[in-house]
PDB file of all heavy atoms in Angstrom:
ATOM      1  N   ARG A  29     -45.447 -29.773   5.227  1.00  0.00           N
ATOM      2  CA  ARG A  29     -44.131 -30.242   5.669  1.00  0.00           C
ATOM      3  C   ARG A  29     -44.096 -30.544   7.158  1.00  0.00           C
ATOM      4  O   ARG A  29     -43.140 -31.157   7.639  1.00  0.00           O
ATOM      5  CB  ARG A  29     -43.073 -29.185   5.348  1.00  0.00           C
ATOM      6  CG  ARG A  29     -43.075 -28.758   3.888  1.00  0.00           C
ATOM      7  CD  ARG A  29     -42.123 -27.615   3.635  1.00  0.00           C
ATOM      8  NE  ARG A  29     -42.174 -27.224   2.219  1.00  0.00           N
ATOM      9  CZ  ARG A  29     -41.109 -26.855   1.515  1.00  0.00           C
ATOM     10  NH1 ARG A  29     -39.930 -26.797   2.087  1.00  0.00           N
ATOM     11  NH2 ARG A  29     -41.231 -26.513   0.251  1.00  0.00           N
ATOM     12  N   GLN A  30     -45.108 -30.119   7.904  1.00  0.00           N
ATOM     13  CA  GLN A  30     -45.074 -30.240   9.358  1.00  0.00           C
ATOM     14  C   GLN A  30     -45.924 -31.383   9.887  1.00  0.00           C
ATOM     15  O   GLN A  30     -45.860 -31.693  11.066  1.00  0.00           O
ATOM     16  CB  GLN A  30     -45.543 -28.922   9.988  1.00  0.00           C
ATOM     17  CG  GLN A  30     -44.646 -27.752   9.652  1.00  0.00           C
ATOM     18  CD  GLN A  30     -45.121 -26.449  10.248  1.00  0.00           C
ATOM     19  OE1 GLN A  30     -46.040 -26.426  11.065  1.00  0.00           O
ATOM     20  NE2 GLN A  30     -44.520 -25.352   9.847  1.00  0.00           N
ATOM     21  N   GLN A  31     -46.718 -31.998   9.078  1.00  0.00           N
ATOM     22  CA  GLN A  31     -47.547 -33.099   9.552  1.00  0.00           C
ATOM     23  C   GLN A  31     -46.671 -34.296   9.888  1.00  0.00           C
ATOM     24  O   GLN A  31     -45.604 -34.465   9.295  1.00  0.00           O
ATOM     25  CB  GLN A  31     -48.571 -33.460   8.475  1.00  0.00           C
ATOM     26  CG  GLN A  31     -49.548 -32.329   8.193  1.00  0.00           C
ATOM     27  CD  GLN A  31     -50.471 -32.651   7.039  1.00  0.00           C
ATOM     28  OE1 GLN A  31     -50.320 -33.679   6.397  1.00  0.00           O
ATOM     29  NE2 GLN A  31     -51.420 -31.784   6.770  1.00  0.00           N
ATOM     30  N   PRO A  32     -47.043 -35.134  10.855  1.00  0.00           N
ATOM     31  CA  PRO A  32     -48.295 -35.124  11.624  1.00  0.00           C
ATOM     32  C   PRO A  32     -48.087 -34.645  13.054  1.00  0.00           C
ATOM     33  O   PRO A  32     -48.424 -35.357  13.986  1.00  0.00           O
ATOM     34  CB  PRO A  32     -48.682 -36.596  11.582  1.00  0.00           C
ATOM     35  CG  PRO A  32     -47.351 -37.311  11.649  1.00  0.00           C
ATOM     36  CD  PRO A  32     -46.338 -36.411  10.992  1.00  0.00           C
ATOM     37  N   VAL A  33     -47.493 -33.496  13.270  1.00  0.00           N
ATOM     38  CA  VAL A  33     -47.177 -33.028  14.626  1.00  0.00           C
ATOM     39  C   VAL A  33     -47.941 -31.748  14.961  1.00  0.00           C
ATOM     40  O   VAL A  33     -47.447 -30.899  15.682  1.00  0.00           O
ATOM     41  CB  VAL A  33     -45.654 -32.802  14.776  1.00  0.00           C
ATOM     42  CG1 VAL A  33     -44.927 -34.124  14.764  1.00  0.00           C
ATOM     43  CG2 VAL A  33     -45.122 -31.886  13.672  1.00  0.00           C
ATOM     44  N   ASP A  35     -50.386 -31.081  16.915  1.00  0.00           N
ATOM     45  CA  ASP A  35     -50.758 -30.842  18.310  1.00  0.00           C
ATOM     46  C   ASP A  35     -49.618 -30.236  19.117  1.00  0.00           C
ATOM     47  O   ASP A  35     -49.829 -29.812  20.252  1.00  0.00           O
ATOM     48  CB  ASP A  35     -51.237 -32.142  18.963  1.00  0.00           C
ATOM     49  CG  ASP A  35     -50.182 -33.225  18.951  1.00  0.00           C
ATOM     50  OD1 ASP A  35     -49.375 -33.254  18.003  1.00  0.00           O
ATOM     51  OD2 ASP A  35     -50.163 -34.048  19.885  1.00  0.00           O
ATOM     52  N   ARG A  36     -48.408 -30.149  18.549  1.00  0.00           N
ATOM     53  CA  ARG A  36     -47.276 -29.544  19.250  1.00  0.00           C
ATOM     54  C   ARG A  36     -46.795 -28.266  18.547  1.00  0.00           C
ATOM     55  O   ARG A  36     -45.732 -27.746  18.884  1.00  0.00           O
ATOM     56  CB  ARG A  36     -46.129 -30.549  19.354  1.00  0.00           C
ATOM     57  CG  ARG A  36     -46.481 -31.814  20.116  1.00  0.00           C
ATOM     58  CD  ARG A  36     -45.276 -32.733  20.246  1.00  0.00           C
ATOM     59  NE  ARG A  36     -44.179 -32.129  20.970  1.00  0.00           N
ATOM     60  CZ  ARG A  36     -44.074 -32.130  22.299  1.00  0.00           C
ATOM     61  NH1 ARG A  36     -44.999 -32.717  23.039  1.00  0.00           N
ATOM     62  NH2 ARG A  36     -43.039 -31.566  22.890  1.00  0.00           N
ATOM     63  N   TRP A  40     -43.107 -24.563  19.182  1.00  0.00           N
ATOM     64  CA  TRP A  40     -41.929 -24.088  18.450  1.00  0.00           C
ATOM     65  C   TRP A  40     -42.365 -23.057  17.418  1.00  0.00           C
ATOM     66  O   TRP A  40     -43.515 -23.039  16.984  1.00  0.00           O
ATOM     67  CB  TRP A  40     -41.165 -25.240  17.812  1.00  0.00           C
ATOM     68  CG  TRP A  40     -41.904 -26.006  16.753  1.00  0.00           C
ATOM     69  CD1 TRP A  40     -42.953 -26.861  16.926  1.00  0.00           C
ATOM     70  CD2 TRP A  40     -41.632 -26.005  15.349  1.00  0.00           C
ATOM     71  NE1 TRP A  40     -43.357 -27.392  15.730  1.00  0.00           N
ATOM     72  CE2 TRP A  40     -42.562 -26.883  14.739  1.00  0.00           C
ATOM     73  CE3 TRP A  40     -40.696 -25.373  14.548  1.00  0.00           C
ATOM     74  CZ2 TRP A  40     -42.579 -27.127  13.372  1.00  0.00           C
ATOM     75  CZ3 TRP A  40     -40.709 -25.615  13.181  1.00  0.00           C
ATOM     76  CH2 TRP A  40     -41.632 -26.481  12.610  1.00  0.00           C
ATOM     77  N   VAL A 106     -28.842 -35.670   9.396  1.00  0.00           N
ATOM     78  CA  VAL A 106     -30.016 -35.499  10.248  1.00  0.00           C
ATOM     79  C   VAL A 106     -30.790 -36.793  10.443  1.00  0.00           C
ATOM     80  O   VAL A 106     -31.087 -37.192  11.579  1.00  0.00           O
ATOM     81  CB  VAL A 106     -30.949 -34.407   9.664  1.00  0.00           C
ATOM     82  CG1 VAL A 106     -32.225 -34.285  10.495  1.00  0.00           C
ATOM     83  CG2 VAL A 106     -30.223 -33.068   9.610  1.00  0.00           C
ATOM     84  N   VAL A 107     -31.154 -37.447   9.366  1.00  0.00           N
ATOM     85  CA  VAL A 107     -32.000 -38.630   9.446  1.00  0.00           C
ATOM     86  C   VAL A 107     -31.175 -39.830   9.883  1.00  0.00           C
ATOM     87  O   VAL A 107     -30.149 -40.147   9.256  1.00  0.00           O
ATOM     88  CB  VAL A 107     -32.672 -38.904   8.091  1.00  0.00           C
ATOM     89  CG1 VAL A 107     -33.496 -40.185   8.149  1.00  0.00           C
ATOM     90  CG2 VAL A 107     -33.559 -37.728   7.697  1.00  0.00           C
ATOM     91  N   PRO A 108     -31.546 -40.498  10.951  1.00  0.00           N
ATOM     92  CA  PRO A 108     -30.761 -41.642  11.433  1.00  0.00           C
ATOM     93  C   PRO A 108     -30.665 -42.733  10.371  1.00  0.00           C
ATOM     94  O   PRO A 108     -31.519 -42.884   9.511  1.00  0.00           O
ATOM     95  CB  PRO A 108     -31.565 -42.130  12.644  1.00  0.00           C
ATOM     96  CG  PRO A 108     -32.359 -40.948  13.080  1.00  0.00           C
ATOM     97  CD  PRO A 108     -32.690 -40.198  11.829  1.00  0.00           C
ATOM     98  N   TYR A 126     -28.355 -32.409   4.630  1.00  0.00           N
ATOM     99  CA  TYR A 126     -28.530 -30.989   4.337  1.00  0.00           C
ATOM    100  C   TYR A 126     -27.160 -30.332   4.337  1.00  0.00           C
ATOM    101  O   TYR A 126     -26.238 -30.801   5.007  1.00  0.00           O
ATOM    102  CB  TYR A 126     -29.434 -30.322   5.389  1.00  0.00           C
ATOM    103  CG  TYR A 126     -30.827 -30.914   5.432  1.00  0.00           C
ATOM    104  CD1 TYR A 126     -31.093 -32.059   6.187  1.00  0.00           C
ATOM    105  CD2 TYR A 126     -31.871 -30.346   4.725  1.00  0.00           C
ATOM    106  CE1 TYR A 126     -32.350 -32.619   6.213  1.00  0.00           C
ATOM    107  CE2 TYR A 126     -33.138 -30.908   4.748  1.00  0.00           C
ATOM    108  CZ  TYR A 126     -33.373 -32.043   5.489  1.00  0.00           C
ATOM    109  OH  TYR A 126     -34.626 -32.601   5.516  1.00  0.00           O
ATOM    110  N   TRP A 227     -35.228 -24.345  11.999  1.00  0.00           N
ATOM    111  CA  TRP A 227     -35.289 -25.801  12.160  1.00  0.00           C
ATOM    112  C   TRP A 227     -35.744 -26.491  10.870  1.00  0.00           C
ATOM    113  O   TRP A 227     -35.237 -27.564  10.512  1.00  0.00           O
ATOM    114  CB  TRP A 227     -36.232 -26.159  13.309  1.00  0.00           C
ATOM    115  CG  TRP A 227     -35.675 -25.864  14.666  1.00  0.00           C
ATOM    116  CD1 TRP A 227     -36.030 -24.847  15.505  1.00  0.00           C
ATOM    117  CD2 TRP A 227     -34.642 -26.593  15.353  1.00  0.00           C
ATOM    118  NE1 TRP A 227     -35.293 -24.894  16.663  1.00  0.00           N
ATOM    119  CE2 TRP A 227     -34.439 -25.962  16.601  1.00  0.00           C
ATOM    120  CE3 TRP A 227     -33.883 -27.718  15.040  1.00  0.00           C
ATOM    121  CZ2 TRP A 227     -33.515 -26.411  17.525  1.00  0.00           C
ATOM    122  CZ3 TRP A 227     -32.955 -28.176  15.965  1.00  0.00           C
ATOM    123  CH2 TRP A 227     -32.775 -27.531  17.187  1.00  0.00           C
ATOM    124  N   MET A 228     -36.682 -25.888  10.157  1.00  0.00           N
ATOM    125  CA  MET A 228     -37.177 -26.506   8.933  1.00  0.00           C
ATOM    126  C   MET A 228     -36.096 -26.592   7.856  1.00  0.00           C
ATOM    127  O   MET A 228     -36.176 -27.427   6.956  1.00  0.00           O
ATOM    128  CB  MET A 228     -38.368 -25.718   8.400  1.00  0.00           C
ATOM    129  CG  MET A 228     -39.628 -25.893   9.205  1.00  0.00           C
ATOM    130  SD  MET A 228     -40.805 -27.037   8.447  1.00  0.00           S
ATOM    131  CE  MET A 228     -41.464 -26.002   7.155  1.00  0.00           C
ATOM    132  N   LEU A 230     -33.259 -27.638   8.296  1.00  0.00           N
ATOM    133  CA  LEU A 230     -32.569 -28.903   8.570  1.00  0.00           C
ATOM    134  C   LEU A 230     -33.545 -30.076   8.562  1.00  0.00           C
ATOM    135  O   LEU A 230     -33.191 -31.172   8.997  1.00  0.00           O
ATOM    136  CB  LEU A 230     -31.851 -28.831   9.923  1.00  0.00           C
ATOM    137  CG  LEU A 230     -30.749 -27.784  10.034  1.00  0.00           C
ATOM    138  CD1 LEU A 230     -30.189 -27.751  11.451  1.00  0.00           C
ATOM    139  CD2 LEU A 230     -29.634 -28.044   9.036  1.00  0.00           C
ATOM    140  N   GLY A 231     -34.766 -29.836   8.100  1.00  0.00           N
ATOM    141  CA  GLY A 231     -35.755 -30.908   8.059  1.00  0.00           C
ATOM    142  C   GLY A 231     -36.342 -31.255   9.414  1.00  0.00           C
ATOM    143  O   GLY A 231     -37.074 -32.238   9.527  1.00  0.00           O
ATOM    144  N   ILE A 232     -36.061 -30.458  10.441  1.00  0.00           N
ATOM    145  CA  ILE A 232     -36.619 -30.711  11.766  1.00  0.00           C
ATOM    146  C   ILE A 232     -37.980 -30.041  11.829  1.00  0.00           C
ATOM    147  O   ILE A 232     -38.088 -28.810  11.805  1.00  0.00           O
ATOM    148  CB  ILE A 232     -35.697 -30.181  12.881  1.00  0.00           C
ATOM    149  CG1 ILE A 232     -34.293 -30.783  12.753  1.00  0.00           C
ATOM    150  CG2 ILE A 232     -36.299 -30.495  14.251  1.00  0.00           C
ATOM    151  CD1 ILE A 232     -34.248 -32.281  12.926  1.00  0.00           C
ATOM    152  N   VAL A 233     -39.045 -30.839  11.906  1.00  0.00           N
ATOM    153  CA  VAL A 233     -40.394 -30.297  11.864  1.00  0.00           C
ATOM    154  C   VAL A 233     -41.066 -30.282  13.224  1.00  0.00           C
ATOM    155  O   VAL A 233     -42.230 -29.900  13.329  1.00  0.00           O
ATOM    156  CB  VAL A 233     -41.259 -31.057  10.839  1.00  0.00           C
ATOM    157  CG1 VAL A 233     -40.768 -30.806   9.438  1.00  0.00           C
ATOM    158  CG2 VAL A 233     -41.279 -32.551  11.138  1.00  0.00           C
ATOM    159  N   ASP A 234     -40.367 -30.678  14.246  1.00  0.00           N
ATOM    160  CA  ASP A 234     -40.787 -30.465  15.629  1.00  0.00           C
ATOM    161  C   ASP A 234     -39.550 -30.597  16.506  1.00  0.00           C
ATOM    162  O   ASP A 234     -39.256 -31.679  17.026  1.00  0.00           O
ATOM    163  CB  ASP A 234     -41.861 -31.458  16.065  1.00  0.00           C
ATOM    164  CG  ASP A 234     -42.335 -31.190  17.496  1.00  0.00           C
ATOM    165  OD1 ASP A 234     -41.857 -30.205  18.100  1.00  0.00           O
ATOM    166  OD2 ASP A 234     -43.159 -31.961  18.012  1.00  0.00           O
ATOM    167  N   PRO A 235     -38.809 -29.492  16.694  1.00  0.00           N
ATOM    168  CA  PRO A 235     -37.608 -29.579  17.542  1.00  0.00           C
ATOM    169  C   PRO A 235     -37.935 -29.894  18.988  1.00  0.00           C
ATOM    170  O   PRO A 235     -37.111 -30.468  19.696  1.00  0.00           O
ATOM    171  CB  PRO A 235     -36.968 -28.190  17.400  1.00  0.00           C
ATOM    172  CG  PRO A 235     -38.103 -27.293  17.014  1.00  0.00           C
ATOM    173  CD  PRO A 235     -39.015 -28.131  16.171  1.00  0.00           C
ATOM    174  N   SER A 236     -39.150 -29.540  19.454  1.00  0.00           N
ATOM    175  CA  SER A 236     -39.498 -29.806  20.843  1.00  0.00           C
ATOM    176  C   SER A 236     -39.590 -31.304  21.120  1.00  0.00           C
ATOM    177  O   SER A 236     -39.366 -31.753  22.239  1.00  0.00           O
ATOM    178  CB  SER A 236     -40.837 -29.138  21.192  1.00  0.00           C
ATOM    179  OG  SER A 236     -41.916 -29.735  20.495  1.00  0.00           O
ATOM    180  N   ALA A 237     -39.932 -32.087  20.094  1.00  0.00           N
ATOM    181  CA  ALA A 237     -39.994 -33.547  20.225  1.00  0.00           C
ATOM    182  C   ALA A 237     -38.873 -34.232  19.458  1.00  0.00           C
ATOM    183  O   ALA A 237     -38.839 -35.461  19.393  1.00  0.00           O
ATOM    184  CB  ALA A 237     -41.344 -34.065  19.732  1.00  0.00           C
ATOM    185  N   ARG A 238     -37.974 -33.444  18.850  1.00  0.00           N
ATOM    186  CA  ARG A 238     -36.807 -33.938  18.112  1.00  0.00           C
ATOM    187  C   ARG A 238     -37.231 -34.929  17.018  1.00  0.00           C
ATOM    188  O   ARG A 238     -36.811 -36.080  17.007  1.00  0.00           O
ATOM    189  CB  ARG A 238     -35.787 -34.578  19.061  1.00  0.00           C
ATOM    190  CG  ARG A 238     -35.230 -33.608  20.083  1.00  0.00           C
ATOM    191  CD  ARG A 238     -34.120 -34.198  20.892  1.00  0.00           C
ATOM    192  NE  ARG A 238     -34.525 -35.432  21.559  1.00  0.00           N
ATOM    193  CZ  ARG A 238     -33.733 -36.150  22.345  1.00  0.00           C
ATOM    194  NH1 ARG A 238     -32.494 -35.770  22.562  1.00  0.00           N
ATOM    195  NH2 ARG A 238     -34.189 -37.262  22.920  1.00  0.00           N
ATOM    196  N   ARG A 239     -38.032 -34.425  16.078  1.00  0.00           N
ATOM    197  CA  ARG A 239     -38.481 -35.246  14.966  1.00  0.00           C
ATOM    198  C   ARG A 239     -38.152 -34.563  13.644  1.00  0.00           C
ATOM    199  O   ARG A 239     -38.218 -33.336  13.526  1.00  0.00           O
ATOM    200  CB  ARG A 239     -39.988 -35.540  15.043  1.00  0.00           C
ATOM    201  CG  ARG A 239     -40.382 -36.304  16.300  1.00  0.00           C
ATOM    202  CD  ARG A 239     -41.779 -36.876  16.189  1.00  0.00           C
ATOM    203  NE  ARG A 239     -41.867 -37.973  15.220  1.00  0.00           N
ATOM    204  CZ  ARG A 239     -41.586 -39.243  15.495  1.00  0.00           C
ATOM    205  NH1 ARG A 239     -41.173 -39.588  16.718  1.00  0.00           N
ATOM    206  NH2 ARG A 239     -41.726 -40.176  14.574  1.00  0.00           N
ATOM    207  N   ALA A 240     -37.781 -35.379  12.647  1.00  0.00           N
ATOM    208  CA  ALA A 240     -37.375 -34.878  11.342  1.00  0.00           C
ATOM    209  C   ALA A 240     -38.316 -35.379  10.265  1.00  0.00           C
ATOM    210  O   ALA A 240     -38.908 -36.459  10.360  1.00  0.00           O
ATOM    211  CB  ALA A 240     -35.945 -35.324  11.020  1.00  0.00           C
ATOM    212  N   LEU A 241     -38.431 -34.590   9.207  1.00  0.00           N
ATOM    213  CA  LEU A 241     -39.298 -34.905   8.078  1.00  0.00           C
ATOM    214  C   LEU A 241     -38.630 -35.902   7.136  1.00  0.00           C
ATOM    215  O   LEU A 241     -37.449 -35.756   6.788  1.00  0.00           O
ATOM    216  CB  LEU A 241     -39.611 -33.622   7.306  1.00  0.00           C
ATOM    217  CG  LEU A 241     -40.398 -33.763   6.011  1.00  0.00           C
ATOM    218  CD1 LEU A 241     -41.831 -34.190   6.300  1.00  0.00           C
ATOM    219  CD2 LEU A 241     -40.367 -32.445   5.229  1.00  0.00           C
ATOM    220  N   VAL A 242     -39.391 -36.910   6.724  1.00  0.00           N
ATOM    221  CA  VAL A 242     -38.959 -37.841   5.679  1.00  0.00           C
ATOM    222  C   VAL A 242     -40.107 -37.965   4.675  1.00  0.00           C
ATOM    223  O   VAL A 242     -41.098 -38.638   4.946  1.00  0.00           O
ATOM    224  CB  VAL A 242     -38.598 -39.229   6.246  1.00  0.00           C
ATOM    225  CG1 VAL A 242     -38.177 -40.159   5.107  1.00  0.00           C
ATOM    226  CG2 VAL A 242     -37.480 -39.113   7.279  1.00  0.00           C
ATOM    227  N   ARG A 244     -42.254 -39.424   1.785  1.00  0.00           N
ATOM    228  CA  ARG A 244     -42.393 -40.754   1.184  1.00  0.00           C
ATOM    229  C   ARG A 244     -43.498 -40.693   0.134  1.00  0.00           C
ATOM    230  O   ARG A 244     -44.278 -39.735   0.075  1.00  0.00           O
ATOM    231  CB  ARG A 244     -42.711 -41.800   2.241  1.00  0.00           C
ATOM    232  CG  ARG A 244     -41.686 -41.881   3.384  1.00  0.00           C
ATOM    233  CD  ARG A 244     -41.984 -43.042   4.308  1.00  0.00           C
ATOM    234  NE  ARG A 244     -41.173 -43.004   5.514  1.00  0.00           N
ATOM    235  CZ  ARG A 244     -39.923 -43.444   5.613  1.00  0.00           C
ATOM    236  NH1 ARG A 244     -39.332 -43.951   4.535  1.00  0.00           N
ATOM    237  NH2 ARG A 244     -39.259 -43.391   6.737  1.00  0.00           N
ATOM    238  N   THR A 253     -43.890 -37.945   6.492  1.00  0.00           N
ATOM    239  CA  THR A 253     -43.737 -38.773   7.680  1.00  0.00           C
ATOM    240  C   THR A 253     -42.593 -38.199   8.499  1.00  0.00           C
ATOM    241  O   THR A 253     -41.799 -37.390   8.008  1.00  0.00           O
ATOM    242  CB  THR A 253     -43.444 -40.238   7.329  1.00  0.00           C
ATOM    243  OG1 THR A 253     -42.148 -40.329   6.691  1.00  0.00           O
ATOM    244  CG2 THR A 253     -44.501 -40.795   6.387  1.00  0.00           C
ATOM    245  N   THR A 254     -42.518 -38.589   9.768  1.00  0.00           N
ATOM    246  CA  THR A 254     -41.446 -38.093  10.618  1.00  0.00           C
ATOM    247  C   THR A 254     -40.744 -39.257  11.315  1.00  0.00           C
ATOM    248  O   THR A 254     -41.324 -40.330  11.504  1.00  0.00           O
ATOM    249  CB  THR A 254     -41.970 -37.108  11.684  1.00  0.00           C
ATOM    250  OG1 THR A 254     -42.852 -37.790  12.576  1.00  0.00           O
ATOM    251  CG2 THR A 254     -42.697 -35.940  11.036  1.00  0.00           C
ATOM    252  N   VAL A 255     -39.497 -39.010  11.686  1.00  0.00           N
ATOM    253  CA  VAL A 255     -38.700 -39.989  12.415  1.00  0.00           C
ATOM    254  C   VAL A 255     -38.030 -39.284  13.588  1.00  0.00           C
ATOM    255  O   VAL A 255     -37.766 -38.079  13.525  1.00  0.00           O
ATOM    256  CB  VAL A 255     -37.629 -40.641  11.513  1.00  0.00           C
ATOM    257  CG1 VAL A 255     -38.270 -41.442  10.396  1.00  0.00           C
ATOM    258  CG2 VAL A 255     -36.675 -39.595  10.952  1.00  0.00           C
ATOM    259  N   PRO A 256     -37.758 -39.996  14.685  1.00  0.00           N
ATOM    260  CA  PRO A 256     -37.045 -39.370  15.805  1.00  0.00           C
ATOM    261  C   PRO A 256     -35.602 -39.081  15.443  1.00  0.00           C
ATOM    262  O   PRO A 256     -34.966 -39.825  14.689  1.00  0.00           O
ATOM    263  CB  PRO A 256     -37.149 -40.419  16.920  1.00  0.00           C
ATOM    264  CG  PRO A 256     -37.370 -41.712  16.207  1.00  0.00           C
ATOM    265  CD  PRO A 256     -38.146 -41.394  14.966  1.00  0.00           C
ATOM    266  N   VAL A 257     -35.081 -37.978  15.988  1.00  0.00           N
ATOM    267  CA  VAL A 257     -33.700 -37.557  15.726  1.00  0.00           C
ATOM    268  C   VAL A 257     -32.999 -37.350  17.065  1.00  0.00           C
ATOM    269  O   VAL A 257     -33.202 -36.323  17.718  1.00  0.00           O
ATOM    270  CB  VAL A 257     -33.650 -36.265  14.896  1.00  0.00           C
ATOM    271  CG1 VAL A 257     -32.207 -35.818  14.680  1.00  0.00           C
ATOM    272  CG2 VAL A 257     -34.342 -36.452  13.558  1.00  0.00           C
ATOM    273  N   PRO A 258     -32.191 -38.286  17.511  1.00  0.00           N
ATOM    274  CA  PRO A 258     -31.507 -38.118  18.785  1.00  0.00           C
ATOM    275  C   PRO A 258     -30.384 -37.091  18.739  1.00  0.00           C
ATOM    276  O   PRO A 258     -30.030 -36.483  19.748  1.00  0.00           O
ATOM    277  CB  PRO A 258     -30.956 -39.513  19.076  1.00  0.00           C
ATOM    278  CG  PRO A 258     -30.823 -40.154  17.730  1.00  0.00           C
ATOM    279  CD  PRO A 258     -31.946 -39.607  16.899  1.00  0.00           C
ATOM    280  N   ARG A 259     -29.831 -36.853  17.546  1.00  0.00           N
ATOM    281  CA  ARG A 259     -28.695 -35.941  17.386  1.00  0.00           C
ATOM    282  C   ARG A 259     -28.545 -35.618  15.908  1.00  0.00           C
ATOM    283  O   ARG A 259     -29.098 -36.298  15.043  1.00  0.00           O
ATOM    284  CB  ARG A 259     -27.395 -36.569  17.891  1.00  0.00           C
ATOM    285  CG  ARG A 259     -27.170 -37.973  17.378  1.00  0.00           C
ATOM    286  CD  ARG A 259     -25.770 -38.480  17.640  1.00  0.00           C
ATOM    287  NE  ARG A 259     -24.807 -37.859  16.780  1.00  0.00           N
ATOM    288  CZ  ARG A 259     -24.615 -38.180  15.493  1.00  0.00           C
ATOM    289  NH1 ARG A 259     -25.369 -39.092  14.897  1.00  0.00           N
ATOM    290  NH2 ARG A 259     -23.705 -37.571  14.787  1.00  0.00           N
ATOM    291  N   ILE A 260     -27.771 -34.569  15.630  1.00  0.00           N
ATOM    292  CA  ILE A 260     -27.422 -34.203  14.255  1.00  0.00           C
ATOM    293  C   ILE A 260     -25.904 -34.228  14.138  1.00  0.00           C
ATOM    294  O   ILE A 260     -25.192 -33.620  14.950  1.00  0.00           O
ATOM    295  CB  ILE A 260     -27.953 -32.808  13.896  1.00  0.00           C
ATOM    296  CG1 ILE A 260     -29.482 -32.795  13.910  1.00  0.00           C
ATOM    297  CG2 ILE A 260     -27.439 -32.363  12.524  1.00  0.00           C
ATOM    298  CD1 ILE A 260     -30.080 -31.413  13.695  1.00  0.00           C
ATOM    299  N   TRP A 278     -29.695 -31.855  21.611  1.00  0.00           N
ATOM    300  CA  TRP A 278     -30.442 -30.890  22.409  1.00  0.00           C
ATOM    301  C   TRP A 278     -31.563 -31.616  23.129  1.00  0.00           C
ATOM    302  O   TRP A 278     -31.992 -32.688  22.720  1.00  0.00           O
ATOM    303  CB  TRP A 278     -30.993 -29.752  21.538  1.00  0.00           C
ATOM    304  CG  TRP A 278     -32.099 -30.139  20.608  1.00  0.00           C
ATOM    305  CD1 TRP A 278     -33.447 -29.969  20.788  1.00  0.00           C
ATOM    306  CD2 TRP A 278     -31.974 -30.793  19.329  1.00  0.00           C
ATOM    307  NE1 TRP A 278     -34.162 -30.454  19.722  1.00  0.00           N
ATOM    308  CE2 TRP A 278     -33.276 -30.964  18.806  1.00  0.00           C
ATOM    309  CE3 TRP A 278     -30.891 -31.246  18.571  1.00  0.00           C
ATOM    310  CZ2 TRP A 278     -33.525 -31.570  17.573  1.00  0.00           C
ATOM    311  CZ3 TRP A 278     -31.137 -31.850  17.346  1.00  0.00           C
ATOM    312  CH2 TRP A 278     -32.435 -31.999  16.859  1.00  0.00           C
ATOM    313  N   GLY A 280     -35.422 -32.017  24.363  1.00  0.00           N
ATOM    314  CA  GLY A 280     -36.767 -31.628  23.974  1.00  0.00           C
ATOM    315  C   GLY A 280     -37.432 -30.812  25.069  1.00  0.00           C
ATOM    316  O   GLY A 280     -36.890 -30.641  26.167  1.00  0.00           O
TER     317      GLY A 280
END
Side-chain angles (χ1 to χ4, degrees):
R29 306 174 181 218
Q30 298 179 9
Q31 296 175 355
V33 290
D35 60 328
R36 299 183 61 85
W40 64 289
V106 176
V107 177
Y126 299 85
W227 287 106
M228 287 258 284
L230 297 176
I232 304 297
V233 293
D234 182 3
S236 67
R238 298 187 304 180
R239 299 194 70 85
L241 174 69
V242 179
R244 303 186 190 278
T253 66
T254 64
V255 296
V257 178
R259 48 168 287 283
I260 295 174
W278 70 99

